[in-house]
Amino acid sequence: MQVDLFDYHLPESLIAQTPLPDRTASRLLTLDKRTGEIGHHTFEQLERYLEAGDVLVLNDTRVIPARLFGVKADTGAKAEVLLLKQLEGDCWEALVRPAKRLKTGTVLHFGGGAPSEAGGDAEPPLLVATVESEGDMGSRALRFSYEGIFNELLDRLGHMPLPPYIKEQLPERERYQTVYAKHQGSAAAPTAGLHFTQDYLNRLEQKGIQLAYVTLHVGLGTFRPVGVETVEQHEMHEEYYEVSAETAELVNAVKRKGGRVVAVGTTSARTLETAAGEDGMLQAGSGWTGIFIYPGYRFRIVDALLTNFHLPKSTLLMLISALAGRENVLAAYREAVEREYRFFSFGDAMFIH
């Protein structure tokens, strides 16, 4: 299957650069996966498409301020690091720039002061990273040394890792977190969940819609483009996930009663499908998933999906095409472009049912 089959035209002006002041103020495009029927609504009208007995499954990962700006210890040249996942202890997988100049053995300093005008020495850096090994596509294994608590230093020195297509500064960090974000570890937000306020979640629960939580820490797979010609050649990067016994019991009870499992975001969908048993029931557990869902895949857990609009030729666009059909999805995207929906992380929402 050719990757080009998942391409579409998107004017750059439709890429949302900033979040809306009100999380629930976005628009909502609905797509019937059986008929291809498209509807246009506001996000708050999502509850019309949910019924008592359904369960919303949300990814409660929390984004860490994973982008660090520092300098090379030997030359003072600027360097940028994006932490992707903790490998063990103080060793992290990261994307670095400029990758060509950050070889094995390179030492980076973060948070140090500049030398004083009187000629005094610079303040020592708060964080020191040494490149231990080199991976593909600019990835590196970095080992950090520091005094104090790493997460506190990261919170002090780090910046939120906004995607490269967002050029504007984020006014406040929490707008790139879901209101239910709990477990730190993501290099990107599960953006479908950004539309919810706690009040709106409460409203859904009052209607009889249940809420369940899974964790998937978003990593390199979000940033890695599909650089092959055919879909089958692409390899996903593994990401850490957890499904609690409580969530598995709740989801399975809903399935037995004939309710729908509604994944909030592609990360929740991938977690659910990773943890699906052969009997179609959800299994509690944790581990690493490299699941790649594209047309031809048969969903075992997910019945409906709330998501944002995704990049052309991306694995996420392939996932929703597996659920709703490629032609249906591309027709919906063409209509979204014509009606000037806001795209990507801070953009509008889509509900596939």
Side-chain angles (χ1 to χ4, degrees):
M1 189 184 305
Q2 295 295 309
V3 171
D4 287 344
L5 292 173
F6 298 90
D7 198 9
Y8 69 92
H9 172 67
L10 179 69
E12 192 173 339
S13 60
L14 297 185
I15 300 174
Q17 293 295 316
T18 55
L20 296 175
D22 179 0
R23 287 178 183 262
T24 61
S26 62
R27 297 160 73 186
L28 176 71
L29 182 148
T30 56
L31 174 63
D32 188 315
K33 62 186 180 183
R34 290 168 294 274
T35 67
E37 181 181 356
I38 298 167
H40 302 281
H41 313 273
T42 63
F43 183 79
E44 286 201 332
Q45 292 173 315
L46 172 66
E47 63 181 303
R48 296 183 184 179
Y49 288 85
L50 301 175
E51 301 171 1
D54 289 345
V55 59
L56 278 184
V57 183
L58 307 112
N59 181 6
D60 63 6
T61 186
R62 186 168 181 82
V63 185
I64 60 174
R67 180 163 271 126
L68 292 164
F69 297 95
V71 297
K72 293 178 67 177
D74 55 352
T75 66
K78 292 181 179 179
E80 180 181 341
V81 165
L82 175 60
L83 301 179
L84 294 173
K85 67 181 180 186
Q86 189 173 12
L87 298 174
E88 48 85 18
D90 291 318
C91 191
W92 285 73
E93 180 186 21
L95 291 178
V96 300
R97 289 198 302 185
K100 290 182 179 179
R101 299 189 179 183
L102 301 181
K103 303 294 187 183
T104 300
T106 301
V107 178
L108 303 174
H109 286 176
F110 305 95
S116 68
E117 292 183 4
D121 293 334
E123 295 179 14
L126 297 175
L127 270 179
V128 176
T130 302
V131 179
E132 290 206 331
S133 61
E134 303 175 33
D136 59 352
M137 299 186 69
S139 68
R140 299 288 187 272
L142 301 179
R143 185 166 297 279
F144 287 90
S145 57
Y146 52 90
E147 291 186 5
I149 299 172
F150 183 78
N151 283 340
E152 290 182 359
L153 291 171
L154 196 60
D155 196 56
R156 178 176 169 183
L157 299 174
H159 300 258
M160 293 305 277
L162 296 180
Y165 49 75
I166 293 179
K167 312 299 182 187
E168 298 290 329
Q169 291 294 316
L170 186 64
E172 53 177 303
R173 282 185 178 183
E174 286 304 304
R175 284 303 275 111
Y176 195 56
Q177 304 278 16
T178 63
V179 296
Y180 47 82
K182 186 176 181 181
H183 301 292
Q184 291 208 62
S186 268
T191 54
L194 296 178
H195 300 283
F196 289 101
T197 61
Q198 191 57 55
D199 284 345
Y200 192 69
L201 289 171
N202 293 343
R203 200 160 102 193
L204 294 179
E205 284 192 293
Q206 289 167 6
K207 187 178 174 179
I209 295 148
Q210 301 181 80
L211 306 180
Y213 297 91
V214 296
T215 304
L216 182 133
H217 293 320
V218 189
L220 181 60
T222 291
F223 301 93
R224 173 180 264 177
V226 179
V228 292
E229 292 185 2
T230 64
V231 172
E232 295 82 0
Q233 290 175 298
H234 181 71
E235 290 187 18
M236 294 286 284
H237 202 82
E238 290 193 336
E239 297 163 314
Y240 181 77
Y241 77 92
E242 291 184 3
V243 176
S244 67
E246 180 184 8
T247 290
E249 289 170 10
L250 176 54
V251 168
N252 291 336
V254 166
K255 289 185 72 67
R256 290 189 187 101
K257 292 178 182 177
R260 291 180 306 168
V261 178
V262 181
V264 176
T266 55
T267 58
S268 295
R270 292 179 64 240
T271 303
L272 291 169
E273 293 301 310
T274 294
E278 292 297 328
D279 58 356
M281 293 290 113
L282 187 62
Q283 299 177 329
S286 63
W288 296 87
T289 178
I291 190 171
F292 182 17
I293 297 174
Y294 54 88
Y297 179 85
R298 189 170 182 177
F299 285 83
R300 291 183 284 183
I301 302 288
V302 175
D303 299 303
L305 174 68
L306 177 73
T307 186
N308 280 19
F309 292 94
H310 303 295
L311 277 72
K313 299 196 284 189
S314 64
T315 60
L316 306 182
L317 188 59
M318 294 169 191
L319 184 153
I320 66 170
S321 296
L323 183 63
R326 185 183 67 87
E327 292 183 0
N328 286 344
V329 166
L330 291 180
Y333 269 52
R334 284 193 295 270
E335 195 157 317
V337 169
E338 289 170 6
R339 292 177 179 250
E340 297 186 335
Y341 275 69
R342 302 168 79 245
F343 276 66
F344 304 161
S345 295
F346 290 139
D348 295 316
M350 179 179 187
F351 184 57
I352 299 171
H353 61 97

